[in-house]
Amino acid sequence: MSIDENIKYATEVVARDPMAVFLGIRAEEVRHAYARLSLHIRPEYLNALDRAHGMSISCLADQAVAVASNTTEYQTLIVELKINFLGAVSPGDTITAEASSLDLKRKLSLWQVEVKDSAGNRVAMAQALAYHRPRK
């Protein structure tokens, strides 16, 4: 597949997987080895302290790296996601996650994901490891 076909696959298939659609995750920008996705924090995404649950932030980070990594010549599976939560997110806010490649090898790649709130404050940083297999 060409780079354009890989980007189309990542945008039209990976970014629209059932969980992403269920949560309302939207692809804002997708290009080779990069993706920016967003998620509006609905009341059902809150924790007991009335802030975005870490699960919702983690899901967005995971989806961003899945989309970004699948723009490459490989079909990828995320095998590890490490996340640090740096700030709280209020209900009704929209968060964005930007995923980009730190190291892209034949079998594995390392990705960085930065999650920000609508004011541009960093609320989480994540690293992900992706395993590659040839596209079918």
Side-chain angles (χ1 to χ4, degrees):
M1 291 174 67
S2 71
I3 290 175
D4 289 341
E5 290 171 319
N6 295 339
I7 292 170
K8 182 178 179 183
Y9 170 78
T11 304
E12 295 181 2
V13 177
V14 180
R16 294 182 184 159
D17 73 20
M19 180 58 84
V21 171
F22 175 75
L23 293 173
I25 295 173
R26 291 170 292 156
E28 303 289 338
E29 181 180 357
V30 180
R31 58 181 194 263
H32 181 70
Y34 173 86
R36 185 178 72 243
L37 280 64
S38 65
L39 175 66
H40 181 74
I41 302 301
R42 301 190 304 222
E44 55 269 30
Y45 299 165
L46 302 178
N47 62 21
L49 300 176
D50 204 33
R51 296 290 181 252
H53 196 287
M55 176 278 310
S56 58
I57 298 168
S58 295
C59 284
L60 180 62
D62 179 74
Q63 187 67 15
V65 75
V67 173
S69 64
N70 275 283
T71 65
T72 67
E73 62 269 27
Y74 307 105
Q75 183 179 48
T76 63
L77 301 166
I78 308 310
V79 295
E80 180 178 56
L81 179 72
K82 300 176 195 176
I83 190 162
N84 296 100
F85 301 104
L86 307 171
V89 180
S90 299
D93 203 350
T94 298
I95 57 175
T96 59
E98 290 186 87
S100 56
S101 173
L102 292 175
D103 191 36
L104 187 58
K105 299 280 197 273
R106 186 175 61 82
K107 288 285 186 183
L108 296 172
S109 55
L110 182 64
W111 299 82
Q112 175 177 288
V113 186
E114 184 175 38
V115 182
K116 293 182 178 180
D117 65 16
S118 60
N121 299 310
R122 188 179 294 143
V123 297
M125 288 294 296
Q127 278 193 341
L129 186 65
Y131 170 75
H132 306 171
R133 59 185 190 189
R135 290 200 185 270
K136 296 180 181 182

